[in-house]
Amino acid sequence: DVKVTQSSRYLVKRTGEKVFLECVQDMDHENMFWYRQDPGLGLRLIYFSYDVKMKEKGDIPEGYSVSREKKERFSLILESASTNQTSMYLCAGRDRQNPYEQYFGPGTRLTVT
Amino acid sequence: LAKTTQPISMDSYEGQEVNITCSHNNIATNDYITWYQQFPSQGPRFIIQGYKTKVTNEVASLFIPADRKSSTLSLPRVSLSDTAVYYCLVGARGKLIFGTGTRLQVFP
């Protein structure tokens, strides 16, 4: 059974803190993605990575950075958390065989106070 | 990337067939149509994808007319566990654009 795991289901941080969200996949997928999901806005792509040490900006990269040092791990970093980054964060992996089928993790609900 | 439009919400009863239609007037030649399902507190899950005509798997059927400007996801005999948000996505290899989806509520 394929698995994408995220380090935390719930996280509470203070404004200005540096926040790390970790995602690990066991499917040997080259491609990995970070989305945020907000009511009324659907899922929006923050960053994605085609391979180790490669990254590309998605639609809303401002305020975020990413790290992909190993194939199985893709980290999302909030350099200085702000209240408007309170959201559900979803990580996904994708196999090169079917570019339309992404496997999502359970999500991390981040609250910035 | 083609924009999709689908109903915000739908209601159904157990045992009924549910059809969710998505319009994508600006679909490009290389675009595929993909549907995802999302339960509360979970990430989306791939259901089905197609390019034209009809595709069927163990979960759903996808109907795509010849002009490909719309598609219909068909869920046969829904149960309470099919209550979820359903997303229609259109795109070529690479980025997937998730809209706000259709919230399906199944009643007993």
Side-chain angles (χ1 to χ4, degrees):
Chain A
D1 194 19
V2 296
K3 277 228 181 309
V4 177
T5 57
Q6 295 183 227
S7 51
S8 305
R9 290 303 304 270
Y10 300 94
L11 207 53
V12 180
K13 295 292 182 181
R14 293 191 181 276
T15 301
E17 278 193 81
K18 190 169 186 176
V19 181
F20 292 86
L21 302 182
E22 305 286 343
C23 175
V24 177
Q25 53 99 356
D26 67 357
M27 301 169 287
D28 201 32
H29 286 183
E30 290 87 5
N31 304 161
M32 295 186 75
F33 305 81
W34 274 106
Y35 297 86
R36 64 176 283 177
Q37 185 171 28
D38 301 287
L41 297 176
L43 279 80
R44 292 179 291 167
L45 182 64
I46 306 171
Y47 266 97
F48 59 105
S49 169
Y50 282 124
D51 209 336
V52 176
K53 296 189 185 297
M54 296 177 69
K55 60 186 179 185
E56 286 198 32
K57 294 180 180 179
D59 300 315
I60 51 165
E62 296 78 19
Y64 303 94
S65 62
V66 290
S67 172
R68 185 115 182 255
E69 295 297 317
K70 294 185 177 182
K71 192 174 187 179
E72 67 272 17
R73 189 179 298 270
F74 191 35
S75 303
L76 180 70
I77 304 157
L78 287 66
E79 295 291 342
S80 178
S82 63
T83 55
N84 63 13
Q85 292 178 309
T86 291
S87 185
M88 170 68 85
Y89 289 88
L90 290 156
C91 174
R94 182 180 76 186
D95 189 90
R96 193 177 288 178
Q97 299 301 316
N98 183 357
Y100 305 96
E101 185 169 0
Q102 295 188 12
Y103 295 87
F104 283 83
T108 296
R109 184 164 294 282
L110 172 67
T111 301
V112 182
T113 62
Chain B
L1 291 167
K3 177 179 167 54
T4 61
T5 302
Q6 53 184 122
I8 294 174
S9 64
M10 294 180 70
D11 292 336
S12 182
Y13 291 93
E14 282 191 294
Q16 290 187 335
E17 178 184 74
V18 171
N19 295 308
I20 306 174
T21 297
C22 177
S23 66
H24 27 79
N25 292 319
N26 297 323
I27 190 168
T29 305
N30 295 334
D31 288 345
Y32 275 72
I33 299 155
T34 311
W35 286 80
Y36 279 73
Q37 175 191 55
Q38 186 177 23
F39 297 115
S41 301
Q42 295 185 25
R45 182 177 75 105
F46 173 89
I47 302 177
I48 196 166
Q49 77 177 55
Y51 185 78
K52 60 181 178 180
T53 63
K54 176 183 174 182
V55 179
T56 297
N57 62 21
E58 63 278 4
V59 177
S61 294
L62 179 60
F63 298 92
I64 305 168
D67 66 6
R68 302 200 329 121
K69 293 185 182 299
S70 67
S71 59
T72 299
L73 175 73
S74 180
L75 305 172
R77 296 180 298 281
V78 294
S79 64
L80 295 175
S81 63
D82 291 315
T83 292
V85 178
Y86 293 83
Y87 296 93
C88 166
L89 292 81
V90 172
R93 302 177 70 87
K95 291 167 62 174
L96 296 179
I97 305 297
F98 286 82
T100 53
T102 297
R103 186 172 298 276
L104 172 66
Q105 179 69 53
V106 179
F107 294 96

